[in-house]
Amino acid sequence: MCGIVGYTGRREAAPLVLEGIKRLEYRGYDSAGLAVLGAGGLVVEKTAGRIAALEARIKGRVPRGHTALAHTRWATHGVPNEVNAHPHTDCGGNLALVHNGIIENAAALRAALAKRGHKFRSETDTEVLVHLIESAYTDGVPLEGAVAWALKKVEGTYGIAVISAREPEKVVAARLGSPLLVGLGEGENFIASDASAVVEHTRSVVYLDDGELAVLTPRDYYVTDLDSARVDKAVSTVDWDLGTVERGGYAHFMLKEIMEQPESLRNALRGRLQEDEGNARLGGLNLTDERLLSINRVVLTACGTSWHSALIGEYMLEELARIPTEVEYASEFRYRNPIVDEHTLVVGISQSGETADTLWALREAKRRGAHTIGIVNVVGSTIAREVDGGIYIHAGPEIGVASTKAFTCQVASLALLTLHLGRLRSLSVLQGREVVKALRKIPDQVDQVLARAHEVQKLALVFDGATNALYLGRGYNFPIALEGALKLKEISYIHAEGYPAAEMKHGPIALIDESMPVVCVAPRDAVYQKIVSNVQEVKARGGKVIAVVTEGDDQLAGLADHVFTIPETIDSLTPVLSVIPLQLLAYHIAVNRGKDVDQPRNLAKSVTVE
């Protein structure tokens, strides 16, 4: 969600942190701000809107100094305006603080601090923190001591960074539930909520865990808990470069990431397919075969697009591995007294590995004795560090808010998990080899689909003037109907619903007329003839049908108004192919409507609050 970048070192700090938060724009935000410590003390500049507005505000008068914080805010408490933007300062104007997360007892703390004379300027929960730190930051108390004392008083989640005019070469940062990392340089150090903000300057990073506090100076850093006990931390290396978080000639990150899917799928599958055995090699699960055989139930938990990949995983696991599987919204799972035990495998799926609801769902499952694994994209993320084992999807950095390549890599990873669990049970070696063979072909088949992307650009014109759309699918492609509708909603702001095709008769059919596009995901699979009947029902009511079908399908080609064909594959992998034209369709419709494709309104890339 919100972005944090901090710096202390020998260079001018303001340009560095501003460039850093530009690299975090993809996370979604509605205001931006900057705090710089220099010879004249603390200077704070902030504004509603984009970083470009902040840069315009300080053009020709960029604050000078060697220690700074920058922030992009996604509003939770208080409207997006200049006053509510971060950084927030104390009464004396000596402290500046930026914060990701939510302080749940902010109202009580605000009332107590106001009685003691503190003056509040904003509606935010964050401002409470800086005044709380101020109240403890008395003579002889170091900044880190005041921060630790204040954090013991708060309830909720936070990723914070604080600077003080009294200690101008120091940045103090801490986390509980919101990601933070320390970037290590020579004669300089960084704090950031995402590695993409600092990878231009260093690939050596230290990921903070919950309850940890970091103290940075230009020459050194150290990490403690909130009781000042030192914590030894491993230094990790970021294994991707700046080029992977730049557009590379594409008009938008989303389009770049759609087109990267053949390579991202190759990376997700590389070294994991065992053709002779008809199996998958997944060393990161940290589960023996005996332990896997003791599992009698799988729960997949996720949010948003990742939840749709989980639905596909449910079909796979039940059909091929023959394991009872449920899919849970992570936001609901932890609050409904779930039934899990040591024979339950709980799988959390999250692109960022920081999704708050998914993280807390996994923690709850672990507390109840279940074995937990994560399917995540970001190496070193909180979920990756806290689960018992997992699968990295290796999609590479995904910048566009609307997930594309991470989704297809999640589905591929779930196929690998299914293959491994299935081979331990009832899946024969011949069946396993068929899945492996299909997985080997899938990146090249995605390439074939993308080679015809221009056809989808023409299909997007069907949506000119549309205000509603219906997406229909069955079996493995019902989740693709949901995902296609979500993509359209996310970036074009057209109301769209995904439905099981047969369920259309139980309500949504009342909406169908000649002005409502209906997208039918209908590859030739086990339920093909059933969805043909559903398409006929739409056409009988004047609906305008766009169908995604298998190459060589003459039946639907003669029935639908428009068709897009995909190569043939096994039923369980059709979603990897059928979703590609729907991603492109949403993209081109949004571009035609003049929308901000990479940063759609009100959305954030990594949702780190409940």
Side-chain angles (χ1 to χ4, degrees):
M1 269 186 167
C2 311
I4 289 175
V5 184
Y7 173 83
T8 182
R10 58 185 181 276
R11 292 189 277 174
E12 284 295 325
L16 288 174
V17 295
L18 283 171
E19 188 61 33
I21 56 169
K22 283 182 185 177
R23 300 202 183 282
L24 302 184
E25 283 191 286
Y26 72 93
R27 296 169 70 92
Y29 70 104
D30 43 48
S31 59
L34 171 74
V36 182
L37 281 171
L42 179 66
V43 177
V44 175
E45 298 283 354
K46 52 188 183 175
T47 185
R50 299 297 192 191
I51 295 168
L54 177 63
E55 290 182 311
R57 183 187 183 103
I58 61 176
K59 188 175 182 180
R61 56 181 188 88
V62 177
R64 296 179 62 85
H66 300 289
T67 300
L69 302 175
H71 189 266
T72 49
R73 175 180 184 249
W74 187 84
T76 57
H77 291 63
V79 298
N81 61 22
E82 181 179 321
V83 173
N84 290 330
H86 299 209
H88 289 287
T89 57
D90 64 330
C91 294
N94 294 310
L95 294 170
L97 177 145
V98 293
H99 167 228
N100 297 347
I102 294 176
I103 305 304
E104 295 173 357
N105 60 337
L109 291 171
R110 179 187 287 257
L113 287 162
K115 286 181 180 179
R116 290 156 58 185
H118 290 265
K119 304 297 183 185
F120 290 87
R121 308 174 186 90
S122 76
E123 303 169 80
T124 68
D125 56 329
T126 294
E127 193 184 359
V128 168
L129 260 178
V130 72
H131 288 282
L132 199 58
I133 294 167
E134 179 187 24
S135 69
Y137 194 36
T138 54
D139 289 344
V141 176
L143 180 58
E144 58 270 29
V147 171
W149 177 89
L151 291 177
K152 291 179 181 180
K153 306 293 183 185
V154 304
E155 298 169 7
T157 59
Y158 54 79
I160 65 165
V162 192
I163 57 177
S164 165
R166 272 172 44 187
E167 301 175 75
E169 288 193 330
K170 182 182 287 185
V171 178
V172 176
R175 73 156 282 176
L176 181 67
S178 289
L180 279 181
L181 58 87
V182 178
L184 307 178
E186 293 185 9
E188 59 185 9
N189 286 305
F190 301 81
I191 195 77
S193 53
D194 190 300
S196 57
V198 301
V199 72
E200 181 179 4
H201 308 289
T202 179
R203 293 190 182 211
S204 298
V205 299
V206 172
Y207 295 99
L208 298 185
D209 288 309
D210 281 354
E212 292 180 346
L213 180 147
V215 180
L216 286 64
T217 67
R219 294 161 296 282
D220 197 11
Y221 83 98
Y222 62 88
V223 178
T224 73
D225 62 19
L226 295 186
D227 292 318
S228 302
R230 292 289 183 112
V231 179
D232 292 329
K233 301 290 293 183
V235 177
S236 301
T237 301
V238 178
D239 62 359
W240 45 268
D241 58 29
L242 193 59
T244 61
V245 292
E246 294 180 338
R247 289 204 305 267
Y250 288 95
H252 299 93
F253 280 111
M254 183 179 178
L255 181 59
K256 173 177 180 273
E257 288 154 9
I258 290 172
M259 303 304 288
E260 285 175 343
Q261 286 175 106
E263 189 58 30
S264 63
L265 283 162
R266 291 185 185 103
N267 291 337
L269 298 171
R270 184 172 289 118
R272 288 171 164 172
L273 295 174
Q274 298 175 308
E275 195 147 3
D276 287 345
E277 294 87 353
N279 207 339
R281 183 187 294 110
L282 296 172
L285 293 182
N286 297 329
L287 282 164
T288 65
D289 288 352
E290 291 73 23
R291 183 77 171 87
L292 285 171
L293 284 167
S294 75
I295 290 166
N296 57 26
R297 179 166 157 263
V298 176
V299 175
L300 303 171
T301 186
C303 304
T305 285
S306 297
W307 189 79
H308 297 156
S309 73
L311 289 174
I312 297 166
E314 178 186 23
Y315 286 122
M316 288 179 178
L317 286 161
E318 293 200 337
E319 180 187 2
L320 301 176
R322 307 304 296 161
I323 303 175
T325 303
E326 301 167 36
V327 177
E328 297 272 3
Y329 282 111
S331 56
E332 296 295 322
F333 178 80
R334 64 180 289 221
Y335 291 113
R336 66 171 199 84
N337 197 18
I339 301 171
V340 297
D341 58 24
E342 68 273 15
H343 299 295
T344 309
L345 178 65
V346 178
V347 183
I349 308 173
S350 165
Q351 187 282 137
S352 66
E354 303 290 351
T355 309
D357 288 320
T358 308
L359 175 60
W360 282 104
L362 287 165
R363 286 172 174 168
E364 180 64 16
K366 201 168 185 178
R367 188 184 71 81
R368 291 170 180 255
H371 193 93
T372 59
I373 67 171
I375 296 179
V376 302
N377 190 32
V378 180
V379 176
S381 58
T382 305
I383 288 175
R385 296 198 307 274
E386 290 199 11
V387 289
D388 300 312
I391 303 170
Y392 281 122
I393 68 172
H394 297 304
E398 187 177 66
I399 305 302
V401 167
S403 180
T404 53
K405 65 178 182 177
F407 174 77
T408 49
C409 286
Q410 286 169 351
V411 174
S413 298
L414 285 161
L416 293 171
L417 179 63
T418 299
L419 187 58
H420 188 64
L421 293 176
R423 287 291 290 118
L424 287 173
R425 287 169 166 79
S426 59
L427 194 69
S428 72
V429 66
L430 292 177
Q431 291 170 313
R433 286 174 183 168
E434 182 185 7
V435 176
V436 170
K437 184 179 178 181
L439 281 167
R440 285 204 189 280
K441 290 172 63 176
I442 209 78
D444 290 339
Q445 291 178 317
V446 171
D447 246 334
Q448 294 169 32
V449 175
L450 290 172
R452 295 167 34 243
H454 60 281
E455 297 176 28
V456 183
Q457 191 169 2
K458 294 176 183 176
L459 289 178
L461 299 176
V462 175
F463 283 73
D464 282 356
T467 56
N468 297 282
L470 186 62
Y471 285 66
L472 302 176
R474 296 187 78 145
Y476 280 105
N477 286 284
F478 161 52
I480 296 305
L482 294 174
E483 175 63 10
L486 178 62
K487 285 290 157 285
L488 189 66
K489 284 182 280 195
E490 284 180 316
I491 62 172
S492 76
Y493 317 144
I494 293 174
H495 173 253
E497 294 299 329
Y499 249 81
E503 288 297 303
M504 168 193 62
K505 301 186 292 293
H506 300 282
I509 199 167
L511 301 172
I512 293 172
D513 59 24
E514 64 280 356
S515 65
M516 183 176 183
V518 180
V519 179
C520 297
V521 189
R524 194 182 291 110
D525 58 13
V527 291
Y528 172 75
Q529 287 300 332
K530 299 297 183 184
I531 200 166
V532 169
S533 299
N534 301 137
V535 173
Q536 290 171 329
E537 291 162 358
V538 173
K539 291 298 296 178
R541 287 151 183 85
K544 191 184 302 180
V545 175
I546 299 168
V548 177
V549 304
T550 305
E551 289 172 349
D553 183 341
D554 296 326
Q555 187 172 2
L556 274 177
L559 185 59
D561 298 277
H562 308 275
V563 296
F564 185 93
T565 62
I566 59 173
E568 189 168 1
T569 187
I570 60 175
D571 287 7
S572 57
L573 294 183
T574 55
V576 179
L577 301 176
S578 61
V579 77
I580 306 294
L582 303 193
Q583 294 171 346
L584 287 164
L585 186 64
Y587 171 79
H588 287 298
I589 291 168
V591 169
N592 291 347
R593 290 165 64 91
K595 304 305 179 185
D596 188 341
V597 172
D598 287 333
Q599 297 172 46
R601 68 188 183 199
N602 302 333
L603 296 181
K605 181 64 178 175
S606 177
V607 183
T608 56
V609 296
E610 286 194 73

